[in-house]
Amino acid sequence: MRWFLEMGSRVGDNLRRSRSAETKRSAAGTPLGILAFETAKTMARLISLYESLADSEIGKLRKEVIRSEGVGYLNSKDEGFLLSLACAEKLENLDKIAATVTRLGQKCSDSGLTRFGLVYTDLKLGTIDLDQLEYASKEKDRLIAKMEKLISATSRLYAALEALSELEVSEQKMKLWKKNSSAMKTEHPGFDAFQQKIAYQRKQVHRLREASLWSKTFDKGAGLMARFVCVVYARLCSVFRPYISSLPHHFLPSKNTCHVGNSRSGPIPKTNKLALVRFHSQDSLLFSPEDSGSTSKSGVFQAARPTTVGGSGLAARYADVILLAARYLDPAVTISENARESLYQMLPENLKTLVRLKLRKSERAAAPERDGERLAEGWREAMRGILEWLAPMAHDTLKWKAESNIEAMKFEAKKSVLLMQTLHFSDREKVEAAIAELLVGLSYIYWYEDRRNCGDGDVDVHDSWSTCRRWSCDRIELR
């Protein structure tokens, strides 16, 4: 890791390591062990982040995500602002990965890896030429292939250990049964076959431990990621520099903070300026934000204003309501009384009031009863139109929430969702107005279904209309 030694020397020779040579030699042979699983997940996140910076993915981000109807109407139409959000979130994700590599590096024997945190800080301070970080494509491909092979083996080891754990529980039960049945001189016919199965599983675990990160040293695990983290940082700067002029190139000036643009649509006022992409701190050598270990308190996450859905803490709840409305729009789905009550309880008080007002207003302007079928079908079309741009954002909101859960993170490099394409930065009033339209539409549709059913019997249709509408206005349960 001579490259890291040369780059890390810029932070000053006063930062000496305190470990003795004997301790270093010992650490060099220390396997990752149980930390293999965290290391594998971090590798997967790093590869995923790198792949998200490919030209094709950035093209999709600009042409499809940013220009989507929902993002433009609810969040912002300012491409510079949205790209700044995307850049800032990707940088924070890289900071979290770098924090893990730094922690692993503290247990390495290689002096370059023990100083990785300082090297990464130096990189973000702009004292390192980013052109040094360009890899030949074949070299990058080989490094990614190595990491993917280790991730795959570590993932299989995790699954094998879970299976072995279950078998060992069964083994204890069978041993207890055999002990109790020995007095009766009976023997379980499948006991020998089970012993062969568990013996085979233990061999599998042993083989996978040797092939996976479990048996690899801290130097090996951190070393594979360390330089690639810096390469990803250089790639991020290269990709977003055409849209964010303050991104570093070669050596940086003394100040380099990206101020995002203004929004003319969505919740960001024209006078708002958010310093989201922070590349260095003049006050500290720490490269990561204070909450770098937190997935829910990052700078980008906290940038949502109180007037947004995320700033009000309602993103996940509103996403659930929207997706439930989409599900209940299906003619084959029937809403039970309990389902109506549950949906009602999910609404905050101000949204309940808004739905009441819209229902009363709609009742006064209602069409004659003979037009009920046409009215219900009109609402279906209107709801489909709203859900066409609103439902994808609700899906992405729940997907982002699931992806931000470190414990639930999987051993795979996959496309990730950005906050800017979720409901997090959406204007709360606009989202609530759209949800209210969905609920009023469901109310009309289910009123028509109930009225049609009532009309088939002896119940007076007009009385049914009045009762259903009054009940809907009072309870807001989607009849």
Side-chain angles (χ1 to χ4, degrees), residues 71-261:
V71 171
Y73 176 64
L74 296 177
N75 293 358
S76 175
K77 290 184 179 179
D78 189 321
E79 184 180 21
F81 169 73
L82 294 172
L83 286 171
S84 294
L85 286 177
C87 179
E89 187 173 0
K90 289 179 183 294
L91 181 61
E92 286 182 358
N93 289 337
L94 184 61
D95 283 347
K96 294 182 178 81
I97 294 170
T100 300
V101 177
T102 299
R103 181 160 45 82
L104 294 174
Q106 297 305 309
K107 297 188 178 184
C108 293
S109 63
D110 191 292
S111 57
L113 293 174
T114 59
R115 295 184 180 184
F116 173 74
L118 300 174
V119 173
Y120 188 65
T121 297
D122 224 19
L123 183 68
K124 296 183 72 176
L125 284 169
T127 58
I128 295 175
D129 189 346
L130 298 183
D131 284 346
Q132 295 184 53
L133 302 172
E134 290 299 324
Y135 262 14
S137 60
K138 290 184 178 179
E139 190 173 357
K140 280 188 292 188
D141 291 342
R142 282 195 297 268
L143 180 57
I144 291 174
K146 285 181 182 179
M147 289 193 287
E148 287 179 337
K149 183 177 180 180
L150 288 170
I151 292 168
S152 177
T154 307
S155 175
R156 295 198 304 273
L157 172 63
Y158 187 85
L161 284 171
E162 284 190 326
L164 179 60
S165 177
E166 293 176 1
L167 289 173
E168 287 176 340
V169 171
S170 299
E171 182 185 37
Q172 293 300 318
K173 292 180 180 178
M174 292 191 73
K175 285 182 177 179
L176 181 62
W177 179 89
K178 186 176 182 181
K179 180 180 178 181
N180 295 334
S181 63
S182 61
M184 298 182 290
K185 297 182 179 180
T186 59
E187 187 172 344
H188 196 287
F191 187 76
D192 291 338
F194 179 81
Q195 287 298 104
Q196 293 176 2
K197 182 177 181 180
I198 197 170
Y200 174 78
Q201 188 66 24
R202 284 174 177 146
K203 288 181 181 179
Q204 285 289 92
V205 168
H206 177 76
R207 180 182 64 82
L208 288 170
R209 277 178 173 168
E210 293 299 316
S212 68
L213 284 165
W214 184 283
S215 61
K216 300 300 184 285
T217 63
F218 281 89
D219 284 62
K220 179 70 173 180
L224 284 170
M225 292 187 287
R227 179 160 183 169
F228 203 61
V229 166
C230 297
V231 171
V232 172
Y233 177 79
R235 174 63 180 170
L236 186 147
C237 293
S238 175
V239 164
F240 285 97
R241 191 180 300 114
Y243 319 110
I244 305 174
S245 60
S246 58
L247 278 168
H249 178 61
H250 299 292
F251 297 94
L252 301 181
S254 59
K255 292 184 179 180
N256 184 38
T257 301
C258 174
H259 298 279
V260 303

Side-chain angles (χ1 to χ4, degrees), residues 139-409:
E139 190 173 357
K140 280 188 292 188
D141 291 342
R142 282 195 297 268
L143 180 57
I144 291 174
K146 285 181 182 179
M147 289 193 287
E148 287 179 337
K149 183 177 180 180
L150 288 170
I151 292 168
S152 177
T154 307
S155 175
R156 295 198 304 273
L157 172 63
Y158 187 85
L161 284 171
E162 284 190 326
L164 179 60
S165 177
E166 293 176 1
L167 289 173
E168 287 176 340
V169 171
S170 299
E171 182 185 37
Q172 293 300 318
K173 292 180 180 178
M174 292 191 73
K175 285 182 177 179
L176 181 62
W177 179 89
K178 186 176 182 181
K179 180 180 178 181
N180 295 334
S181 63
S182 61
M184 298 182 290
K185 297 182 179 180
T186 59
E187 187 172 344
H188 196 287
F191 187 76
D192 291 338
F194 179 81
Q195 287 298 104
Q196 293 176 2
K197 182 177 181 180
I198 197 170
Y200 174 78
Q201 188 66 24
R202 284 174 177 146
K203 288 181 181 179
Q204 285 289 92
V205 168
H206 177 76
R207 180 182 64 82
L208 288 170
R209 277 178 173 168
E210 293 299 316
S212 68
L213 284 165
W214 184 283
S215 61
K216 300 300 184 285
T217 63
F218 281 89
D219 284 62
K220 179 70 173 180
L224 284 170
M225 292 187 287
R227 179 160 183 169
F228 203 61
V229 166
C230 297
V231 171
V232 172
Y233 177 79
R235 174 63 180 170
L236 186 147
C237 293
S238 175
V239 164
F240 285 97
R241 191 180 300 114
Y243 319 110
I244 305 174
S245 60
S246 58
L247 278 168
H249 178 61
H250 299 292
F251 297 94
L252 301 181
S254 59
K255 292 184 179 180
N256 184 38
T257 301
C258 174
H259 298 279
V260 303
N262 300 323
S263 171
R264 296 185 180 180
S265 180
I268 312 299
K270 294 179 67 174
T271 57
N272 184 55
K273 289 186 178 180
L274 299 173
L276 290 175
V277 189
R278 184 171 300 167
F279 296 98
H280 66 87
S281 170
Q282 298 290 349
D283 303 321
S284 173
L285 281 176
L286 295 177
F287 65 83
S288 55
E290 280 187 354
D291 299 312
S292 62
S294 169
T295 57
S296 62
K297 294 184 178 180
S298 66
V300 180
F301 190 91
Q302 291 178 329
R305 298 170 63 86
T307 55
T308 63
V309 175
S312 305
L314 293 168
R317 189 193 302 189
Y318 280 178
D320 286 333
V321 170
I322 292 165
L323 296 180
L324 277 175
R327 178 173 178 268
Y328 293 154
L329 183 60
D330 186 345
V333 176
T334 302
I335 307 180
S336 66
E337 291 292 333
N338 289 336
R340 297 178 188 186
E341 182 64 26
S342 297
L343 184 56
Y344 172 75
Q345 294 301 333
M346 291 172 68
L347 308 179
E349 287 301 322
N350 68 302
L351 188 49
K352 293 176 184 177
T353 302
L354 178 61
V355 175
R356 283 194 189 97
L357 293 174
K358 283 182 175 290
L359 281 171
R360 291 185 178 122
K361 182 178 179 181
S362 299
E363 182 180 13
R364 288 194 297 269
E369 292 175 19
R370 62 179 178 272
D371 295 329
E373 182 177 2
R374 188 175 63 181
L375 183 63
E377 188 57 34
W379 272 109
R380 284 190 187 277
E381 290 301 316
M383 288 182 65
R384 291 191 189 104
I386 294 172
L387 289 170
E388 188 174 344
W389 53 266
L390 187 59
M393 296 187 70
H395 278 292
D396 286 340
T397 300
L398 298 183
K399 187 177 179 181
W400 186 93
K401 183 181 178 182
E403 289 176 350
S404 66
N405 185 352
I406 294 180
E407 298 299 324
M409 196 178 299

